[in-house]
Amino acid sequence: MAASMENVEEIRNRIILGEFDIKNVHTTDYPGNYPGYDDTWDLEKFKKVPTMAIEKVFIYNNTSIVQDEVLAHRLGLIPIKADPRLFEYRNTVTGEAPAAEEEEGSEIDTIQLQLKIKCSRNPRASKDSADPRELYLNHMVYSRDIKWVPIGNQADVFAELAIGPVHDDILIAQLRPGQELDIVMYCVKGVGKDHAKFSPVATASYRLLPEIVLLEPVEGEKAERLKRCFSRGVIDLEDVKGTKAAKVVNSRLDTCSREVLRHDDLKNVVKLGRVRDHFIFTVESTGILPPDVLVTEAIKLLMAKCQRFINELGNPHS
């Protein structure tokens, strides 16, 4: 028996969540599901959107218990608040350039940071105190202790920008009296494809839009139980002729836990699904760039890649 057009449209456009299985997962029909496009866009955000990150660490003095290589690694992963669109990529240094230029760079492609701090005893501390926060000064080294050292005319060009770590409460090391750190760092422009420290995104994911359909009116105690089966804000109760009735107010908030299917008297009054061609993207920025800027830059990179592909197809000699 042939399926009705209504069933065909449901197979094409909806994924149905059952008690023990998921239906309509595989399809090649239009509009279909094209997660490959979303994966491509997702990878662009991770790999190709540039940021500024610490590339070279010169440790002139480190008497803490943290080894030099571990300390350099911790510093390299601290996100730096600087708009990468205002800087150029660092040119590959040839053998003709002096070593100093290779290390320091210039004002258009390099940011210089400095961490210089020394721990000492607090002369005003109580004799009976055992709290390191009271006994010592500068015993906790945070990212706020990293200072920007302008190169060339950067002090004038970036006067309104607070260049430095995105977060000022990242713990770097702990010191005791007499221990100190004297470090100079150089930040360059790079992409996450080369190293994770350049990635502007902490997490990026997408999911299909949930769809919840009530097949019949649900009232009274059943309506209250139905509301508790979903995330807060998905189901609400309204007064219908003196009786509380359930209604779907925002299915977008649902996590698709399928808790309602555990209740024998509720699982047949609701249909759970996901809209196959409606994607909800979640982008969590590290703070270097706002999420809306990251999405815009990622789309620009994807458009440029598509244009290069089209140009290659149109070039018979390629």
Side-chain angles (χ1 to χ4, degrees), residues 100 233 250 306 313:
N250 191 356
C306 294
L313 291 178

Side-chain angles (χ1 to χ4, degrees), residues 242-306:
T243 304
K244 292 183 178 180
K247 68 173 182 177
V248 180
V249 292
N250 191 356
S251 62
R252 186 190 188 97
L253 302 176
D254 185 39
T255 59
C256 297
S257 65
R258 293 189 277 186
E259 170 69 17
V260 66
L261 301 181
R262 299 177 64 247
H263 300 263
D264 293 334
D265 58 339
L266 294 177
K267 64 182 181 181
N268 294 324
V269 302
V270 61
K271 183 169 70 172
L272 306 178
R274 291 197 176 196
V275 181
R276 189 183 295 277
D277 55 357
H278 188 137
F279 297 91
I280 301 174
F281 287 89
T282 301
V283 179
E284 180 184 353
S285 171
T286 59
I288 300 174
L289 294 172
D292 56 334
V293 175
L294 291 178
V295 173
T296 303
E297 294 298 315
I299 293 176
K300 290 179 181 178
L301 291 171
L302 185 57
M303 292 173 62
K305 179 182 288 187
C306 294

Side-chain angles (χ1 to χ4, degrees), residues 4-169:
S4 64
M5 285 304 300
E6 181 178 352
N7 292 337
V8 171
E9 288 300 318
E10 180 179 282
I11 294 174
R12 287 179 172 177
N13 301 325
R14 299 293 184 270
I15 295 176
I16 305 301
L17 304 181
E19 185 174 3
F20 302 107
D21 60 351
I22 302 177
K23 302 177 182 178
N24 303 343
V25 176
H26 304 289
T27 180
T28 55
D29 292 335
Y30 179 84
N33 183 13
Y34 308 104
Y37 296 158
D38 307 295
D39 290 333
T40 301
W41 187 63
D42 202 40
L43 290 174
E44 289 292 342
K45 293 195 296 296
F46 275 106
K47 294 184 177 181
K48 297 295 181 63
V49 177
T51 62
M52 302 295 291
I54 296 174
E55 177 72 7
K56 293 188 177 182
V57 178
F58 294 89
I59 301 178
Y60 296 101
N61 194 5
N62 174 24
T63 54
S64 70
I65 63 172
V66 184
Q67 299 92 335
D68 289 354
E69 58 272 20
V70 176
L71 184 59
H73 184 268
R74 291 178 64 85
L75 292 171
L77 293 177
I78 295 176
I80 303 301
K81 186 177 182 180
D83 194 337
R85 295 170 294 182
L86 304 178
F87 293 87
E88 301 293 335
Y89 283 101
R90 185 77 172 271
N91 292 328
T92 303
V93 179
T94 62
E96 301 177 356
E101 181 181 346
E102 178 182 357
E103 294 179 357
E104 298 181 1
S106 64
E107 64 270 14
I108 65 172
D109 59 19
T110 304
I111 297 174
Q112 181 178 340
L113 303 173
Q114 185 179 34
L115 175 60
K116 191 170 185 178
I117 189 171
K118 184 175 182 178
C119 178
S120 60
R121 294 187 180 275
N122 184 6
R124 300 181 180 181
S126 174
K127 295 181 179 180
D128 300 329
S129 176
D131 188 355
R133 293 173 295 181
E134 184 179 354
L135 290 174
Y136 311 129
L137 299 175
N138 298 326
H139 77 289
M140 303 284 280
V141 183
Y142 290 98
S143 54
R144 68 173 70 98
D145 299 313
I146 298 177
K147 307 301 180 183
W148 171 45
V149 181
I151 301 175
N153 63 348
Q154 287 183 348
D156 298 327
V157 176
F158 306 117
E160 299 180 357
L161 302 179
I163 294 180
V166 173
H167 308 286
D168 60 2
D169 58 349

Side-chain angles (χ1 to χ4, degrees), residues 303-318:
M303 292 173 62
K305 179 182 288 187
C306 294
Q307 188 60 50
R308 287 196 301 270
F309 180 70
I310 294 175
N311 295 338
E312 290 293 330
L313 291 178
N315 186 2
H317 303 291
S318 60

